[in-house]
Amino acid sequence: MKFEHEIEIFIRDYVKDLNEGTASIFAGAGLSIPAGFVNWSDLMQEIAHDLGLVIDRENDLVSLAQFHVNENRTRSKINRKIIEEFTETAEETLNHNIIARLPISSVWTTNYDNLIEQAFSKENKVADVKHTNKQLLTNRPKRDIVVYKMHGDANHSSEAILTKEDYEQYHQTHEPFIHALSGELTTKTFLFIGFSFTDPNLDYVLSRLNFRFSKDKKQHYCLIKKHSLNDAQNPDQATLDYNTRKQQLVINDLKRYGIKSLILDDYAQITSILEEIENRYKKKTIFISGSAEIYDPYEKNEALGFIHLLSKKIIEKNFRIVNGFGWGIGSSVINGSLEAISANPLKFSESQLILKPFPQFESGKKKLPELWEEYRQKMISLSGISIFLFGNKRDGAEIVEANGVIREFEISRDLGNICIPIGCTGYATESILKLILTNPSDYYENSDVVVPLLKTLLDSDIPLSKKVDVVISVINEVIQ
């Protein structure tokens, strides 16, 4: 998918931060509204009515909450509204799910709902939720992600940050959160999602960010939808002109905090951007599929040497490898990868090799074929590129195509992986390549460049050792 120049640069740089483990997300109310939760205006509508005010004429909703507390000397009704609106069961959105799949170690949010935690749970990730100062002092064992709910949690509404007084005292009552956020903002690249210029949280959050590095501050990004005529906020041209001018002033002001605004035509672009980020990140992970009872038309040592060298080169090109320890293939993948890692441990890491040996016996009520299917789905979902080798097995006295390799191709195709069959290794891999060549444009955006390289990989007269660089060339072409 084509993006505007600034967004394209952001995606490229943010994926680099993901690969380096230095990316984070800051989620605002706009992330949860599509799931059915209310925005601030809806939340405060009844409160405004109680005060004899009209919500549509009020911009400072934080002060509105404070007025209600001043008048009633209690915030019990506001607390009840938070519980009513944000504790109901709701399904997380596609944006939540994509965020949960990204390799980030922390998420910050001003939202009260639990959709973010829910999304991580569905991805089998352990979320360590922090919404009080005391929770910052302890860590949940085996956590995968830290969710900082800096304005509180709907299940503890009496402690939620909501009134003007809450925000005014935040730097004292929640000083540890400010320090934690300041630390992450100086070491990680943040993507702000779901903030609008009418969100009362935004100004308060930014006013508490203490950047002390002047021109050396970290670059962060915010996705902002531009105003358009006849939307909810712009019923006429004069209002549009005013809001557009104000939006530009706020965008310029965000630069003081190192936050670069990326302007969107509509909210659907957020999902497209997140999907592209996920796809590009996954393309740095390569699934190697294959099994070999025999290595015809090659000698065993030549074939194993090729797999070893290919795996080594993939690691040296800073890709990650996922492998299910396929019969006759897995050991060479491991050895080649570890050779690259051990030769330069300061540059390469064992985290670049992800091994997922298949279950060998049934577990619980699930039959082995069902376990294998689930395992294949999870394993391949970690990657964006699938390489196929050989693909044969023994069936009695005969050598036949390995149906497991065929299945891994089908899963790869369904998940949108880019498939690279090394056709000269024959059997299932050759069948996969022949299928792809019947309509290559269905598999590659730049098929006119990739197909000649695949045909080179099909030629068994070319020594295997000379095909390693061809495979790397195919990888370089498909990740562009």
Side-chain angles (χ1 to χ4, degrees):
M1 183 176 180
K2 297 294 184 181
F3 294 93
E4 292 183 3
H5 183 63
E6 284 193 344
I7 295 178
E8 176 65 32
I9 293 174
F10 154 70
I11 293 174
R12 182 195 63 197
D13 292 344
Y14 195 74
V15 170
K16 287 182 181 178
D17 286 309
L18 284 173
N19 283 310
E20 294 171 4
T22 57
S24 189
I25 297 285
F26 202 120
L31 185 66
S32 295
I33 289 173
F37 288 120
V38 299
N39 57 25
W40 264 68
S41 293
D42 292 334
L43 178 67
M44 299 302 295
Q45 186 168 7
E46 186 179 344
I47 301 300
H49 182 269
D50 290 351
L51 293 168
L53 301 175
V54 179
I55 192 66
D56 293 339
R57 299 174 63 179
E58 297 298 324
N59 293 320
D60 188 354
L61 302 184
V62 172
S63 291
L64 194 66
Q66 186 64 52
F67 296 158
H68 187 273
V69 173
N70 294 344
E71 291 297 311
N72 295 279
R73 299 302 175 186
T74 177
R75 54 178 283 171
S76 60
K77 185 168 184 175
I78 297 178
N79 294 342
R80 187 175 70 248
K81 288 290 294 181
I82 292 176
I83 294 174
E84 290 172 351
E85 298 293 347
F86 294 109
T87 59
E88 64 182 36
T89 301
E91 286 295 317
E92 66 278 2
T93 67
L94 178 56
N95 290 340
H96 284 97
N97 293 331
I98 297 173
I99 290 171
R101 292 194 296 265
L102 294 178
I104 51 179
S105 58
S106 66
V107 171
W108 287 78
T109 183
T110 53
N111 297 344
Y112 307 126
D113 62 76
N114 66 353
L115 289 180
I116 291 178
E117 304 97 291
Q118 186 174 304
F120 280 111
S121 178
K122 289 188 176 181
E123 291 297 321
N124 296 314
K125 293 184 178 181
V126 177
D128 187 2
V129 181
K130 313 285 190 184
H131 59 84
T132 67
N133 290 336
K134 289 183 178 180
Q135 290 172 329
L136 294 174
L137 300 175
T138 58
N139 297 327
R140 183 174 177 177
K142 300 180 180 180
R143 69 183 185 185
D144 298 299
I145 182 78
V146 183
V147 178
Y148 295 95
K149 305 181 76 168
M150 61 183 301
H151 284 172
D153 182 271
N155 292 308
H156 302 83
S157 59
S158 62
E159 301 172 4
I161 304 301
L162 186 65
T163 67
K164 188 173 183 179
E165 187 175 25
D166 292 333
Y167 286 111
E168 289 172 343
Q169 297 177 357
Y170 191 86
H171 67 288
Q172 294 179 329
T173 60
H174 289 70
E175 184 178 9
F177 275 89
I178 296 296
H179 289 317
L181 179 57
S182 297
E184 293 224 330
L185 284 164
T186 57
T187 58
K188 293 184 177 181
T189 299
F190 273 71
L191 172 59
F192 289 76
I193 301 177
F195 282 103
S196 69
F197 297 133
T198 59
D199 188 329
N201 288 327
L202 183 58
D203 287 339
Y204 284 102
V205 171
L206 294 182
S207 68
R208 300 299 189 266
L209 303 184
N210 186 16
F211 292 93
R212 301 176 180 177
F213 297 96
S214 186
K215 296 180 181 180
D216 297 324
K217 65 175 68 71
K218 192 82 170 175
Q219 179 73 73
H220 307 289
Y221 301 90
C222 185
L223 300 178
I224 301 293
K225 178 187 175 297
K226 68 180 180 182
H227 288 283
S228 58
L229 188 62
N230 296 324
D231 64 15
Q233 294 177 308
N234 302 279
D236 52 60
Q237 187 64 47
T239 305
L240 173 64
D241 292 341
Y242 180 86
N243 287 335
T244 299
R245 175 55 181 159
K246 183 176 180 181
Q247 184 179 70
Q248 188 58 53
L249 293 171
V250 175
I251 288 171
N252 289 333
D253 190 55
L254 292 176
K255 295 176 183 178
R256 294 191 297 119
Y257 304 99
I259 300 175
K260 182 180 182 65
S261 298
L262 303 172
I263 310 303
L264 311 178
D265 292 325
D266 57 68
Y267 290 118
Q269 284 185 269
I270 295 177
T271 302
S272 298
I273 290 170
L274 289 176
E275 287 178 331
E276 185 67 16
I277 288 171
E278 181 184 22
N279 289 337
R280 294 197 194 182
Y281 172 79
K282 289 171 68 174
K283 283 181 181 178
K284 293 294 289 184
T285 303
I286 297 174
F287 171 63
I288 297 181
S289 171
S291 63
E293 181 69 32
I294 62 173
Y295 300 91
D296 293 348
Y298 303 100
E299 293 292 332
K300 179 178 180 179
N301 288 339
E302 181 183 11
L304 294 180
F306 167 73
I307 299 168
H308 178 104
L309 183 58
L310 176 61
S311 302
K312 178 182 177 183
K313 286 283 188 179
I314 289 173
I315 295 295
E316 290 175 343
K317 294 295 181 180
N318 277 313
F319 290 90
R320 296 173 292 272
I321 290 177
V322 178
N323 185 247
F325 208 79
W327 178 259
I329 299 292
S331 294
S332 295
V333 171
I334 294 171
N335 291 339
S337 301
L338 291 179
E339 181 178 330
I341 294 167
S342 61
N344 196 342
L346 296 180
K347 184 176 182 180
F348 309 118
S349 167
E350 289 186 6
S351 63
Q352 290 177 255
L353 178 60
I354 305 168
L355 294 176
K356 299 286 186 178
F358 277 83
Q360 298 302 308
F361 53 87
E362 295 178 1
S363 176
K365 297 180 180 179
K366 293 182 179 179
K367 300 296 183 183
L368 204 53
E370 184 181 358
L371 287 171
W372 286 351
E373 175 66 16
E374 289 183 0
Y375 213 72
R376 284 190 170 102
Q377 292 280 354
K378 291 178 181 179
M379 182 166 51
I380 298 172
S381 70
L382 299 174
S383 64
I385 296 175
S386 296
I387 291 178
F388 300 90
L389 292 159
F390 296 98
N392 64 70
K393 67 178 183 178
R394 185 175 296 280
D395 184 9
E398 296 183 5
I399 301 297
V400 299
E401 285 190 357
N403 55 349
V405 173
I406 296 294
R407 181 58 188 146
E408 287 168 2
F409 164 69
E410 293 170 347
I411 295 172
S412 296
R413 179 190 58 196
D414 292 341
L415 292 177
N417 280 24
I418 297 170
C419 299
I420 306 175
I422 303 176
C424 62
T425 59
Y427 297 95
T429 296
E430 184 178 0
S431 296
I432 291 168
L433 178 55
K434 288 179 178 178
L435 177 62
I436 289 175
L437 291 178
T438 61
N439 202 352
S441 60
D442 287 347
Y443 297 87
Y444 314 106
E445 291 184 1
N446 52 346
S447 58
D448 56 328
V449 177
V450 175
V451 167
L453 294 171
L454 292 179
K455 289 182 177 179
T456 300
L457 295 177
L458 181 59
D459 189 348
S460 58
D461 291 331
I462 300 174
L464 269 177
S465 59
K466 294 185 178 181
K467 293 183 178 178
V468 172
D469 290 336
V470 180
V471 177
I472 298 299
S473 296
V474 177
I475 294 171
N476 290 335
E477 288 293 337
V478 299
I479 65 174
Q480 291 181 3

